[in-house]
Amino acid sequence: MRIGVLGTGHLAEFLIRGAEGLGYHFTVSPRSADRAAALAASHGVNVARSNQAVVDGCDLVLVCLPAAEGVDILRGLRFRAGQSVLSAMAGARLAAVAAAVAPAAAACAMMPGLANAHGLGPCLLYPARTEWEGFLAALGPLHVFGDEAEFVTATAFGAMSGAVFFWMDALIGWFAAQGVAPAVARRLVAETLRGNAEVLLREVAGLEDIRRGIATPGGITEALVRVLETRGALEAWGGGMDVVLQRVRG
Ligand SMILES: NC(=O)c1ccc[n+]([C@@H]2O[C@H](COP(=O)([O-])OP(=O)(O)OC[C@H]3O[C@@H](n4cnc5c(N)ncnc54)[C@H](OP(=O)(O)O)[C@@H]3O)[C@@H](O)[C@H]2O)c1
């Protein structure tokens, strides 16, 4: 299956890496010539002469263009009936993408990016488009939405995912500053979060029950949570997500 990619940046590279060996062939746009050439050498992608050549040569077109200008760039291209265009641009709304690529079909997606290079990043899709579902499911767990408002709200997870790297970095730095070898600190933080994430996926207990079980009264978890709450650290996540939501709702 051939997929044309408009915007040969970080996300394009992550998704192409994630689909390695799964039978997908990619044609990418020539801008970011170094990255396109590197992807040609490492993943055998075709580098088209222009954005229009990508569109002309592919029935499936994945849009990884900058969010601010992406829809305008799409408006300058000619699409045809029978094509299907998937936008991965944060904040791009279905109606705007659909109008820009008519008469092609349109859909919107969101994913964390780098985790998709490892087949582990959840992908959101709105609306259901069977032609894209196999590709996205290869990049991580797939969530298909039928309701646009719910989809747009859920896309805020993209920022949450990115911010968690900063949080992990701060924790790793703290352990390293206290004398734990940086490589051990990195593994410790990653393994702890992976273990806790698996708990959420595997246990049926609610968070309230889980919290009661893991925070011994008077213990060290309780002490840490008290400091975080006193300093507004947990509440600040909600405040930050509100800002992201305003952005993605437009
Ligand atoms: N990075 C992620 O993990 C991630 C995750 C989810 C969603 N997204 C979304 O993916 C999109 C791309 O993000 P990114 O992080 O990959 O950004 P990026 O690394 O800056 O990539 C954007 C690419 O688009 C190219 N471009 C700009 N104008 C173009 C044009 N007119 N024609 C063809 N290509 C053009 C840029 O080329 P130049 O470098 O030459 O300007 C760059 O290679 C954004 O809309 C973002 O919201 C990203």
Side-chain angles (χ1 to χ4, degrees), residues 71-82:
V71 172
D72 282 341
I73 296 168
L74 292 177
R75 274 194 206 106
L77 299 170
R78 288 181 312 282
F79 292 84
R80 58 181 187 277

Side-chain angles (χ1 to χ4, degrees), residues 178-204:
Q178 310 309 314
V180 177
V184 175
R186 178 173 167 147
R187 288 201 68 93
L188 182 61
V189 168
E191 288 161 357
T192 304
L193 295 181
R194 180 162 67 184
N196 287 355
E198 283 296 331
V199 167
L200 281 197
L201 292 171
R202 294 175 191 205
E203 300 254 350
V204 291

Side-chain angles (χ1 to χ4, degrees), residues 152-192:
V152 171
T153 302
T155 64
F157 95 105
M160 179 201 85
S161 164
V164 164
F165 278 100
F166 288 76
W167 175 52
M168 291 192 290
D169 189 29
L171 287 169
I172 293 164
W174 182 86
F175 280 110
Q178 310 309 314
V180 177
V184 175
R186 178 173 167 147
R187 288 201 68 93
L188 182 61
V189 168
E191 288 161 357
T192 304

